[in-house]
Amino acid sequence: MPRRILDISSPLKAGIRSDPPHMLPKIEYMDHHQTAPAMAEYMGVRIDQLPDGEYAAVETATISTHNGTHMDAPYHFFSSMNHALKPGGEPSWRIDDVPLDWCFQRGVKLDFRHLPDGYVATAGDVEAELKRIGHEIRPLDIVVVNTAAGARYGEDDFVDTGCGMGKAATLWLTERGVRVVGTDAWSWDAPFSFTRDRVRATGDVGLIWEGHRAGREIGYFQMEKLGNLATLPPHGFDIVCFPVKVHRASAGWTRAVAVFND
């Protein structure tokens, strides 16, 4: 059967506003000529004896597991999870605990680009969008959210752009068996700058990271900084998003793709 693959990951790139300043990745690039002297010395030969005086290109990256397109594990959100499913909950799963079959499932896109920056999407918003696109959620569907932030990746306002998913909206999905979600924004939650204003105005600390904290009730895995979601249709594709197996980590990088069986 003919198959078409669409990249829905963002590039891991230094020198752009992909994260808050204190979280930005650093990548050092060494080209073929820069690495040649060390190899020539090690082998006891002259540099000009190497083909065109070259050795290997290599990069050294100083990055967090939350840089670039990545998948968060429930351990990132809270130390325990599934309090809504069993008394006292259980220890939160880490990224190397993710069931791999959860990472290759039917995909559905919610288009929330029209919602204003800082808006917290509700369960009603999710239901209305699913009705608009004619999709009924099934357990293990991978739900991705296209926000206004997707078009601003790497720009100065990226971190503060787009809507977020609230606790009720997240639980609405996980209560129906969704276990992997994603967004093209910096965070599944609304930008922190807007949340800070709401907390200051109301004194309600429960607003802090409310979408993430829904993972305390029902554990789920969440992708952030996806790309190309604007080119996705609402449904009719699978999503493949296996995370890198970082031992006992709170997240792992993923090359997420959408697969169309045309």
Side-chain angles (χ1 to χ4, degrees), residues 110-112 114-116 118-131 143 145 163-176 188-190 198 207 210-211:
L110 308 181
D111 192 344
F112 286 165
H114 62 286
L115 297 177
Y119 180 83
V120 179
T122 67
D125 293 321
V126 174
E127 290 184 273
E129 176 64 0
L130 289 169
K131 182 178 180 180
V143 178
V145 181
C163 68
M165 298 292 283
K167 181 177 182 179
T170 305
L171 287 175
W172 190 93
L173 292 169
T174 56
E175 286 167 354
R176 286 156 180 79
W188 181 248
D189 277 89
R198 292 191 186 99
L207 298 175
E210 61 171 292

Side-chain angles (χ1 to χ4, degrees), residues 4-246:
R4 179 168 52 95
I5 296 177
L6 176 68
D7 189 1
I8 56 171
S9 302
S10 297
L12 178 61
K13 183 178 179 182
I16 61 171
R17 281 296 303 273
S18 58
D19 297 277
H22 67 285
M23 293 180 63
L24 289 170
K26 299 176 182 177
I27 305 174
E28 178 187 3
Y29 293 84
M30 296 283 286
D31 69 20
H32 309 84
H33 290 286
Q34 289 171 307
T35 62
M39 177 53 71
E41 180 181 1
Y42 178 79
M43 290 295 180
V45 300
R46 300 190 314 274
I47 295 174
D48 62 9
Q49 289 178 285
L50 299 175
D52 294 331
E54 295 186 353
Y55 177 49
V58 66
E59 295 75 48
T60 301
T62 304
I63 58 176
S64 159
T65 51
H66 299 269
N67 288 135
T69 301
H70 65 277
M71 179 185 289
D72 291 341
Y75 182 72
H76 178 54
F77 317 147
F78 205 75
S79 60
S80 58
M81 68 179 195
N82 289 342
H83 288 262
L85 304 181
K86 58 178 65 176
E90 62 180 298
S92 287
W93 291 359
R94 305 186 191 224
I95 200 63
D96 46 349
D97 296 317
V98 62
L100 294 183
D101 62 314
W102 289 8
C103 303
F104 192 167
Q105 294 289 340
R106 187 175 74 154
V108 56
K109 183 188 81 168
L110 308 181
D111 192 344
F112 286 165
R113 285 176 290 177
H114 62 286
L115 297 177
D117 296 341
Y119 180 83
V120 179
T122 67
D125 293 321
V126 174
E127 290 184 273
E129 176 64 0
L130 289 169
K131 182 178 180 180
R132 184 187 73 83
I133 65 177
H135 183 88
E136 184 174 347
I137 288 291
R138 293 195 314 223
L140 297 188
D141 276 358
I142 297 177
V143 178
V144 296
V145 181
N146 190 183
T147 76
R152 303 300 299 166
Y153 180 73
E155 302 295 334
D156 287 347
D157 60 351
F158 169 67
V159 171
D160 296 309
T161 301
C163 68
M165 298 292 283
K167 181 177 182 179
T170 305
L171 287 175
W172 190 93
L173 292 169
T174 56
E175 286 167 354
R176 286 156 180 79
V178 172
R179 291 295 179 267
V180 176
V181 299
T183 177
D184 54 10
W186 182 74
S187 174
W188 181 248
D189 277 89
F192 282 169
S193 55
F194 292 90
T195 303
R196 178 182 57 193
D197 291 343
R198 292 191 186 99
V199 172
R200 287 174 174 173
T202 65
D204 185 359
V205 298
L207 298 175
I208 300 173
W209 230 29
E210 61 171 292
H212 281 72
R213 293 289 197 207
R216 184 179 185 274
E217 307 305 317
I218 301 176
Y220 74 99
F221 291 78
Q222 164 195 304
M223 293 178 286
E224 294 171 330
K225 286 180 276 191
L226 293 168
N228 267 339
L229 295 190
T231 63
L232 275 182
H235 45 74
F237 55 90
D238 293 330
I239 289 179
V240 183
C241 53
F242 300 119
V244 172
K245 196 174 183 179
V246 185

